[in-house]
Amino acid sequence: MKRCLIVTGGKLDLAFARFYLERERFHLTIAVDGGLEAVQALGLEPDYVVGDFDTVKPTVVEHFKKAGHKGHPIAWMAHPPEKNETDTELARSLAMELECSQIVFLGATGGRLDHTLGNLHALYQCMENGVEAWIVDAQNKIYLLDRGKAFDRDSLWGKYISFLPYTQHVRGITLKGFRYPLHQKNICRGQEVGLCISNELAGDKGYLDFTQGVLVCVESKD
């Protein structure tokens, strides 16, 4: 399994990131534009740097260009500011081209809301191609589901599990082992929003199943 870490330019709790990275191992690290500053603060050595470099300090860019010449090779992939893809989307596509089977995004939340939403949509292409991908921050783990899933209390990001429709309709949702179970429930964007938000496991395990659509799943803690 080839795992890729993508560090992008949202707000990143460095204490959380250090704690997380002490417990996780990645084969590749891609820094995205302003995320290069977080990469430097975390003492990481990126394999690739992607972006138009309009939000990163020139001194940080210079630091990594020098570092690349000293031993650790860094591939720079510069793109013009005027483009159809976001920098994070380009990094995601690169990770997929490099045949990564898992992608974790750090720094993908907490800044501009339009970028956060764009990063959420960047997960869709991963799901479509069978690549596991999720956004993590100090409070949340966010991913897309096009099929059922089993949940184990010991591996949850936090106490709460929420499901929101990514597609207009998600049909046949069944929740077993949850505090608020469901049976063959259809949901629609913008209606009964609270129905699948802030659920919890009733015991050690829970099960989600549905027949049609795509869900946003958020595991979160207070």
Side-chain angles (χ1 to χ4, degrees):
M1 183 179 293
K2 193 174 181 181
R3 307 188 75 216
C4 178
L5 173 68
I6 295 178
V7 184
T8 189
K11 292 183 179 179
L12 180 59
D13 182 330
L14 293 176
F16 153 74
R18 290 189 183 97
F19 178 82
Y20 178 75
L21 293 172
E22 284 175 359
R23 290 155 177 77
E24 299 289 334
R25 294 292 178 266
F26 297 93
H27 301 92
L28 289 173
T29 298
I30 302 175
V32 182
D33 208 282
L36 197 58
E37 295 183 18
V39 166
Q40 183 183 40
L42 293 167
L44 300 176
E45 296 182 335
D47 300 284
Y48 295 85
V49 179
V50 176
D52 51 32
F53 311 119
D54 61 346
T55 61
V56 60
K57 295 175 183 176
T59 54
V60 176
V61 172
E62 187 61 27
H63 165 81
F64 281 102
K65 285 189 172 178
K66 289 180 179 178
H69 291 303
K70 290 181 178 179
H72 185 79
I74 300 174
W76 291 78
M77 309 191 74
H79 298 270
E82 298 80 13
K83 57 187 182 302
N84 294 330
E85 302 86 354
T86 66
D87 291 332
T88 303
E89 187 179 357
L90 291 167
R92 185 264 346 250
S93 296
L94 172 62
M96 292 175 62
E97 290 170 10
L98 294 169
E99 300 183 340
C100 295
S101 54
Q102 284 190 348
I103 303 173
V104 175
F105 296 83
L106 282 179
T109 60
R112 283 174 47 180
L113 184 57
D114 55 344
H115 283 301
T116 298
L117 291 172
N119 294 337
L120 172 64
H121 287 288
L123 298 176
Y124 185 79
Q125 194 71 17
C126 297
M127 184 196 70
E128 283 281 277
N129 287 274
V131 176
E132 292 185 278
W134 48 89
I135 293 168
V136 298
D137 62 26
Q139 284 186 282
N140 308 287
K141 179 179 180 181
I142 308 165
Y143 49 96
L144 300 181
L145 291 170
D146 61 355
R147 66 194 68 188
K149 177 178 170 61
F151 296 86
D152 190 313
R153 184 180 296 278
D154 291 338
S155 61
L156 284 178
W157 198 254
K159 176 181 179 180
Y160 301 106
I161 311 171
S162 296
F163 306 103
L164 300 101
Y166 182 85
T167 49
Q168 179 67 23
H169 299 277
V170 180
R171 304 187 188 279
I173 297 177
T174 296
L175 294 174
K176 296 180 181 179
F178 282 78
R179 182 177 180 184
Y180 306 105
L182 290 174
H183 179 70
Q184 294 291 311
K185 177 68 177 179
N186 299 331
I187 62 173
C188 178
R189 280 202 306 251
Q191 297 179 16
E192 296 184 310
V193 176
L195 182 67
C196 295
I197 287 182
S198 296
N199 212 329
E200 305 171 33
L201 293 184
D204 291 332
K205 295 185 181 297
Y207 302 91
L208 159 75
D209 196 15
F210 57 101
T211 58
Q212 182 182 343
V214 176
L215 284 169
V216 181
C217 181
V218 184
E219 300 178 17
S220 54
K221 62 188 82 172
D222 283 331

